[in-house]
């Protein structure tokens, strides 16, 4: 019998001493073959402590870059280098740098969905699962620049009671969830628990019982006694939700156009089992970063890791373009 694609991946993982990490938005077959599946913070932590020679991250490229920044001696592979993110695209380095320079006394709190270059001129990185904790660790008198996701920023501003200067970026998938249609759906299913990712528009978040990271939404489905959930996030997460709660009805929150596949992230869905096998076999495509850039980006990721492990950190008084710019 010829070797199946999953057998091939298992064999190559052993031969190359590789760890396979996957995000919750990947297709179910990729999630099932991964060593660890999680949200972006969990994947960064697993990548940082990985002992294997090779780490293959099935997600989008900024996630793999974060692993390379945190664990630089490992070979970090991705199935497809084109797997980008609209938040990364919407925050080009030169413009972000100009914004920082307009507010040199501000602390730049940057979502992990950003390029390594933008991380290098940021003070601290956050994900949706740790952002509130990190913002609470910033002295209250300090001005905060938050980007690139304006919706997450607005949500966090309310949650933490802090005012932010917001970068106007957005996730092209989550902004398509439609408040009017969601309202109608809730009227049809008043018993349903509504859960949403904070990258959705405020008008959608207002209707949610729970707003949180992919892992938080999964936890809600796992633990809440409701028998019906309306889910406003990317479709890949249904795979784990169905596994954890086969007894509940999961309804995808409506998007603007009911006939499109808009609740699928086109970048996450570029990855396939075939591309994973090829990457393990050939050692390509590999995520590589100039050491100068990597070291500068590491400072902001290190602050995230320190605060989330209960350590105290110091904050720069002023943005020093000369020290940080590339
Ligand atoms: P999480 O950190 O919640 O997994 O979100 C990552 C992401 O890209 C959401 O669109
Ligand atoms: Fe980026 Fe949105 Fe895709 Fe997440 S779902 S990777 S934020 S485009």
């Amino acid at each position: 019998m010829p070797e199946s694609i999953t057998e091939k991946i298992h064999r190559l993982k052993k031969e190359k001493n590789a760890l396979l990490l996957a995000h919750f938005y990947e297709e179910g077959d990729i999630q099932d073959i991964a060593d660890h599946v999680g949200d972006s913070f969990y994947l960064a932590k697993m990548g940082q402590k990985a002992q294997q020679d090779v780490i293959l991250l099935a997600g989008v490229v900024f996630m793999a870059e974060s692993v390379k920044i945190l664990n630089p001696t490992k070979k970090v592979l991705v199935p497809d280098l084109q797997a980008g993110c609209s938040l990364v695209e919407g925050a080009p380095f030169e413009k972000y740098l100009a914004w920082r320079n307009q507010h040199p006394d501000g602390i730049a709190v940057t979502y992990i969905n950003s390029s390594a270059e933008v991380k290098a001129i940021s003070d601290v990185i956050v994900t949706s699962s740790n952002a509130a904790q990190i913002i609470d660790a910033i002295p209250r008198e300090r001005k905060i620049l938050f980007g690139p996701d304006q919706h997450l920023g607005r949500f966090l501003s309310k949650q933490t009671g802090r005012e932010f200067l917001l970068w106007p970026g957005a996730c092209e998938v989550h902004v398509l969830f439609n408040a009017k249609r969601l309202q109608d759906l809730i009227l049809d299913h008043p018993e349903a628990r509504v859960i949403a990712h904070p990258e959705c528009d405020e008008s959608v978040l207002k209707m949610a019982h729970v707003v949180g990271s992919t892992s938080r939404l999964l936890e809600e489905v796992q633990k809440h006694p409701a028998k019906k959930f309306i889910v406003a996030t990317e479709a890949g997460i249904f795979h784990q939700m169905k596994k954890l709660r086969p007894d509940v009805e999961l309804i995808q929150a409506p998007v603007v156009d009911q006939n499109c596949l808009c609740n699928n992230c086109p970048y996450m869905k570029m990855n396939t089992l075939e591309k994973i096998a090829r990457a393990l076999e050939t050692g390509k495509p590999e995520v590589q970063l100039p050491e100068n850039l990597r070291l500068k980006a590491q400072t902001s990721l290190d602050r995230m890791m320190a605060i989330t492990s209960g350590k105290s950190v110091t904050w720069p008084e002023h943005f020093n373009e000369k020290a940080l710019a590339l």
Side-chain angles (χ1 to χ4, degrees):
M1 267 238 295
E3 188 183 43
S4 72
I5 189 73
T6 50
E7 286 166 347
K8 185 172 179 179
I9 292 172
H10 283 303
R11 171 177 60 78
L12 286 165
K13 252 169 26 82
K14 269 200 206 116
E15 279 173 22
K16 309 282 179 179
N17 188 25
L19 178 75
L20 179 49
L21 302 176
H23 189 265
F24 288 132
Y25 293 165
E26 292 301 313
E27 295 286 6
D29 55 0
I30 295 181
Q31 295 189 40
D32 287 345
I33 205 169
D35 296 299
H36 304 287
V37 188
D39 69 9
S40 52
F41 182 43
Y42 177 79
L43 296 179
K45 283 191 295 186
M46 296 314 285
Q48 182 179 33
K49 66 177 191 193
Q51 302 288 326
Q52 290 82 348
D53 300 319
V54 175
I55 304 165
L56 191 148
L57 195 142
V60 287
V61 169
F62 75 76
M63 295 176 176
E65 279 179 352
S66 299
V67 168
K68 183 69 187 177
I69 292 164
L70 290 163
N71 200 348
T73 61
K74 305 299 175 188
K75 190 177 180 88
V76 177
L77 302 176
V78 289
D80 193 323
L81 266 182
Q82 301 306 313
C85 169
S86 62
L87 284 163
V88 176
E89 283 301 304
F93 172 71
E94 290 298 339
K95 287 193 177 154
Y96 221 83
L97 178 62
W99 188 50
R100 278 234 66 181
N101 274 322
Q102 280 166 22
H103 309 280
D105 54 335
I107 292 183
V109 178
T110 301
Y111 194 25
I112 197 164
N113 298 41
S114 52
S115 66
E117 286 80 1
V118 165
K119 287 185 177 75
I121 53 162
S122 299
D123 295 312
V124 66
I125 303 303
V126 300
T127 74
S128 47
S129 57
N130 61 32
Q133 181 190 7
I134 290 171
I135 289 158
D136 285 345
I138 299 172
R140 287 205 78 85
E141 67 278 10
R142 296 298 303 269
K143 183 197 282 184
I144 293 176
L145 281 75
F146 187 93
D149 190 84
Q150 58 177 302
H151 302 291
L152 173 63
R154 237 167 249 129
F155 170 74
L156 289 168
S157 173
K158 280 205 190 115
Q159 199 185 22
T160 59
R162 304 281 288 261
E163 273 190 30
F164 303 156
L165 292 165
L166 288 179
W167 183 264
C171 161
E172 67 180 55
V173 180
H174 285 86
V175 290
L176 296 178
F177 290 110
N178 181 264
K180 172 73 188 76
R181 296 192 62 221
L182 176 59
Q183 198 173 26
D184 293 344
L185 188 69
I186 293 171
L187 287 174
D188 288 345
H189 303 275
E191 73 283 28
R193 191 136 176 101
V194 182
I195 60 177
H197 196 278
E199 289 171 9
C200 298
D201 187 84
E202 206 176 4
S203 57
V204 168
L205 297 182
K206 261 203 287 216
M207 282 180 257
H209 297 103
V210 173
V211 176
S213 63
T214 49
S215 50
R216 175 68 190 90
L217 301 186
L218 201 56
E219 181 194 53
E220 187 66 10
V221 169
Q222 184 178 18
K223 296 193 177 153
H224 197 277
K227 288 285 182 192
K228 210 183 253 192
F229 294 84
I230 297 175
V231 183
T233 194
E234 209 270 357
I237 198 152
F238 280 70
H239 183 67
Q240 298 295 332
M241 287 179 173
K242 280 181 196 152
K243 274 197 192 173
L244 287 169
R245 287 292 303 277
D247 58 313
V248 302
E249 186 183 348
L250 300 167
I251 308 173
Q252 178 76 58
V255 286
V256 190
D257 169 4
Q258 63 193 63
N259 297 317
C260 77
L261 279 175
C262 320
N263 48 25
N264 276 280
C265 172
Y267 313 106
M268 293 278 183
K269 296 317 197 259
M270 283 179 179
N271 300 328
T272 61
L273 290 178
E274 286 71 23
K275 287 182 188 175
I276 289 172
R278 201 176 317 134
L280 288 171
E281 202 162 32
T282 63
K284 283 189 207 126
E286 182 179 0
V287 171
Q288 284 172 310
L289 297 168
E291 187 58 6
N292 175 36
L293 166 63
R294 191 197 68 74
L295 279 170
K296 285 173 177 166
Q298 193 185 353
T299 309
S300 55
L301 275 164
D302 279 349
R303 274 204 190 89
M304 170 177 87
M305 292 302 185
I307 295 169
T308 51
S309 6
K311 296 184 187 127
S312 62
V313 297
T314 56
W315 301 99
E317 286 304 320
H318 280 279
F319 175 55
N320 181 348
E321 182 182 343
K322 283 209 180 70
L324 281 176
L326 309 165

